[in-house]
Amino acid sequence: MTVKQRDFRKNKDIGFPFYYFIISVYPVVFNLGHNIHEVYPNVAIRPFLILFGLSLIAFAILLLFTKSKTKSGMFGTWLMVLFLTYGSFFRWIDQISFFEMVSRHRYVLIFWLLIALIGIFLLSKVNPSKNFVRILNAFAIALILIPIIQIGSYNFRIAVQKRKADNQISETTSLLASSEKPDVYVIVLDTYPRADSLEKTFNISNQDFISQLTDMGFYVAPCSRCNYAYTELSLSSMFNLDYLDQVAPEVIKSGQDTVPLFNLLKNSLMRRNFEQLGYSTYSIASYPPLAWEDADFFYNSNSIDIDKKGDRSFLTSFERMIFESTAVKAFLDLNVFTDSTEQIPVNYRYAEHVQKHLFTLDALKNVVTKRGPKLIFTHITSPHAPFVFTPDGDLLDNPPNIPWVEGLPWEEHKKYFGMQVQYISNEMIPIIREIIESSETKPIIVLFGDHGYAADAERMAVLTAVYAPDKVKDSMYPGISLVNIFRIIFNQSFGGNYKILDDISYMSPHTDPFNFTIVEEILPGCIQ
């Protein structure tokens, strides 16, 4: 045995390859960091454990053959990189017409296997130094620190804003609860436009929906408007009964970060007023940033926590997002990891969205039987995309792309959005009727769109329908904006003394949400 051979055997394990395990779970941590404001952190637990477990098994098998942690780390990293990128490569080659005949999994998998074998052969010739492992470990740690910092920064900002909200001294007024406190339902139909906007832009009439609401006793404001163009801006203003320059001046000055606004709508003046009046709070929202997790009754639509037999898919949308980029895509395309239900077909493109949406509607129906007084806040993800429903409530066989993610021609855009408007309109009527008929005391129901769907000033034209005592409805007016809704409700039903504000709508670019421009009414029937 030569001196060189003895030195190699002595140094064949020159440091533990932590980089291998870090790279194995990196897609989970990266996607969680990138989407932390959209999901609950626990959605990452299962894919993290799956990938980490897979990396452990592969490392143990490689170690059995190589007898070297260093070589096992090198081989394992190469194989894991190929595993994690297979799905992305397949999608890329599938989009190139030149490769159309070979963009089948059986061909791409054979090609990927050859690449794997060539890589292992070349790596077997490498004799790494101690610095080689140290550099890779340091690189992997630096790589994963970026999403970890994103996650930590987001949670820190949320905690800081929550403390500020808890300590915030808001406008107060003396409120008096009547002997019979009405249940209060705050129902957001995400992106539901006003009737005239629907007719002008989408060639859809929802007059039947409006008429049925009116017949049940709603006041439907014909020229109502939101005050801001995006959900977090619109709701944080409405729920705090004031404009953002008064509610959150420091947030506006800080730049483009809208995250603090979610705490303002979760811990709003509206909510605190009702809690001080003795109301229990109910939160039914499938979009995590809007959910009141600390409500007295929190209906969590996280698919991991929904345990209705026969009504769940095997993978969550977060997991599917991760595994679609890996070699698991070959199995996903064969429908191996999905369950079929009566409502959701096998491997349905937006299965988790449908599941959460149906869960939200069911929870709203069931909460009616809970005895009050109660404040119920529910955010319904319709008619907002993805577009999955027909007007009759059936699922579209081939739902279209999410417009801002993959693009969608405007004519198709309008068609599918219109179908979603008709669907949710039909769906809400029996639910609202059940709320009214089953309530012990006549409830207060605020049914509205947080913003419209157009890209111009028409985006501010939204549905606003209020079911309440006559003195509340008599104080409503055609051009009311969302910021004044609860001012009127507190004044007329709870002895408040809130000043009615000027109705102003502020438009802003999505990329610069606090760059406000005042926009006036543009639809002919409402121009004063």
Side-chain angles (χ1 to χ4, degrees):
M1 181 180 295
T2 66
V3 174
K4 186 177 180 180
Q5 288 174 324
R6 286 197 301 270
D7 289 344
F8 172 73
R9 287 197 172 187
K10 181 180 178 181
N11 297 308
K12 66 179 179 179
D13 284 331
I14 51 180
F16 192 82
F18 292 106
Y19 63 86
Y20 162 66
F21 295 99
I22 293 173
I23 290 173
S24 298
V25 299
Y26 177 74
V28 179
V29 183
F30 170 81
N31 280 288
L32 181 61
H34 190 67
N35 297 281
I36 186 62
H37 62 292
E38 300 279 346
V39 298
Y40 292 115
N42 66 345
V43 300
I45 294 175
R46 191 162 62 174
F48 183 95
L49 292 177
I50 289 172
L51 290 179
F52 185 72
L54 182 64
S55 67
L56 278 176
I57 293 171
F59 188 78
I61 294 173
L62 290 168
L63 191 60
L64 186 66
F65 285 97
T66 66
K67 311 298 182 184
S68 166
K69 293 191 292 291
T70 303
K71 289 289 185 179
S72 298
M74 291 170 54
F75 296 157
T77 300
W78 173 244
L79 296 175
M80 185 58 70
V81 168
L82 291 177
F83 173 82
L84 294 175
T85 58
Y86 170 84
S88 298
F89 177 78
F90 182 88
R91 283 200 302 271
W92 174 75
I93 200 172
D94 196 40
Q95 293 173 357
I96 302 175
S97 58
F98 179 77
F99 294 109
E100 185 175 355
M101 295 301 295
V102 296
S103 61
R104 300 290 183 271
H105 284 295
R106 58 180 175 272
Y107 302 125
V108 179
L109 284 170
I110 291 172
F111 172 73
W112 225 234
L113 179 61
L114 289 173
I115 295 294
L117 293 175
I118 293 171
I120 288 178
F121 173 76
L122 295 175
L123 287 172
S124 68
K125 305 299 182 181
V126 175
N127 186 19
S129 66
K130 199 168 188 177
N131 284 336
F132 174 82
V133 176
R134 287 176 176 173
I135 290 171
L136 283 181
N137 282 340
F139 172 76
I141 291 171
L143 189 68
I144 206 167
L145 273 178
I146 296 173
I148 289 176
I149 290 172
Q150 286 180 310
I151 296 167
S153 172
Y154 173 82
N155 285 293
F156 176 76
R157 283 181 291 150
I158 287 292
V160 169
Q161 290 300 323
K162 189 175 188 310
R163 283 198 298 271
K164 286 184 178 180
D166 290 341
N167 297 326
Q168 183 181 22
I169 301 176
S170 302
E171 178 185 358
T172 60
T173 189
S174 177
L175 298 177
L176 300 173
S178 61
S179 57
E180 292 185 343
K181 300 175 187 176
D183 290 342
V184 178
Y185 290 81
V186 183
I187 304 174
V188 185
L189 301 182
D190 200 321
T191 321
Y192 198 114
R194 212 169 59 200
D196 52 354
S197 175
L198 283 173
E199 289 194 16
K200 172 181 176 291
T201 302
F202 301 98
N203 196 29
I204 289 173
S205 173
N206 71 339
Q207 284 306 315
D208 183 59
F209 178 57
I210 301 300
S211 296
Q212 290 187 73
L213 290 176
T214 303
D215 290 343
M216 284 189 281
F218 277 82
Y219 173 78
V220 181
C223 298
S224 58
R225 292 160 64 82
C226 60
N227 304 102
Y228 297 94
Y230 309 106
T231 298
E232 62 270 33
L233 281 71
S234 179
L235 295 186
S236 56
S237 169
M238 178 187 184
F239 289 1
N240 285 283
L241 284 65
D242 215 331
Y243 291 95
L244 293 180
D245 61 340
Q246 300 298 315
V247 173
E250 73 286 353
V251 176
I252 295 176
K253 292 176 183 177
S254 68
Q256 299 180 356
D257 186 8
T258 62
V259 168
L261 297 180
F262 289 111
N263 265 316
L264 285 174
L265 66 89
K266 290 184 179 188
N267 302 279
S268 66
L269 176 60
M270 177 269 289
R271 177 181 171 182
R272 292 198 301 275
N273 276 352
F274 279 115
E275 287 176 334
Q276 291 171 7
L277 288 166
Y279 278 69
S280 297
T281 52
Y282 291 70
S283 173
I284 309 170
S286 60
Y287 182 49
L290 301 185
W292 302 350
E293 293 90 348
D294 60 343
D296 296 313
F297 300 91
F298 173 45
Y299 291 77
N300 190 350
S301 66
N302 188 330
S303 62
I304 292 176
D305 298 323
I306 298 174
D307 192 21
K308 295 174 66 178
K309 184 177 180 182
D311 194 25
R312 61 178 297 174
S313 297
F314 186 85
L315 296 176
T316 68
S317 58
F318 181 82
E319 292 168 341
R320 182 171 288 275
M321 176 176 62
I322 292 170
F323 291 126
E324 280 278 359
S325 297
T326 73
V328 177
K329 179 173 175 57
F331 296 94
L332 291 174
D333 289 350
L334 294 173
N335 300 332
V336 173
F337 293 118
T338 54
D339 298 327
S340 179
T341 73
E342 291 183 2
Q343 293 176 301
I344 307 175
V346 170
N347 207 29
Y348 193 70
R349 186 177 185 185
Y350 300 114
E352 188 185 14
H353 169 79
V354 175
Q355 177 192 50
K356 289 186 175 185
H357 174 79
L358 297 176
F359 172 83
T360 302
L361 293 182
D362 286 341
L364 181 57
K365 296 172 187 175
N366 294 333
V367 80
V368 177
T369 60
K370 309 294 183 183
R371 291 308 164 209
K374 56 184 182 287
L375 168 66
I376 301 96
F377 165 58
T378 182
H379 171 263
I380 296 173
T381 54
S382 186
H384 195 284
F387 306 131
V388 294
F389 292 105
T390 69
D392 294 331
D394 297 325
L395 289 179
L396 292 168
D397 292 332
N398 186 27
N401 297 332
I402 296 178
W404 57 90
V405 176
E406 301 173 84
L408 189 67
W410 178 238
E411 289 305 314
E412 289 189 50
H413 203 158
K414 292 195 296 183
K415 178 183 74 172
Y416 287 113
F417 178 72
M419 292 170 66
Q420 202 94 335
V421 168
Q422 292 172 305
Y423 155 73
I424 197 60
S425 301
N426 294 335
E427 195 72 27
M428 290 309 300
I429 289 298
I431 295 176
I432 291 171
R433 185 172 287 116
E434 177 66 19
I435 290 173
I436 294 173
E437 293 176 353
S438 299
S439 297
E440 292 182 315
T441 302
K442 183 176 182 178
I444 293 174
I445 305 172
V446 182
L447 177 71
F448 66 101
D450 50 351
H451 54 79
Y453 203 62
D456 56 12
E458 190 181 324
R459 184 179 178 87
M460 318 309 285
V462 294
L463 168 74
T464 301
V466 178
Y467 182 89
D470 290 340
K471 57 184 178 180
V472 173
K473 293 190 293 183
D474 290 344
S475 298
M476 300 285 172
Y477 49 95
I480 191 170
S481 66
L482 298 181
V483 74
N484 280 317
I485 297 294
F486 284 105
R487 285 179 172 261
I488 290 176
I489 289 173
F490 284 126
N491 287 351
Q492 299 301 327
S493 286
F494 300 97
N497 189 30
Y498 288 105
K499 177 185 175 183
I500 303 304
L501 304 177
D502 292 337
D503 294 298
I504 306 173
S505 293
Y506 294 97
M507 195 73 178
S508 59
H510 192 270
T511 54
D512 194 7
F514 299 133
N515 184 13
F516 297 127
T517 301
I518 296 177
V519 292
E520 303 295 339
E521 180 65 65
I522 65 171
L523 294 174
C526 292
I527 295 176
Q528 295 182 351

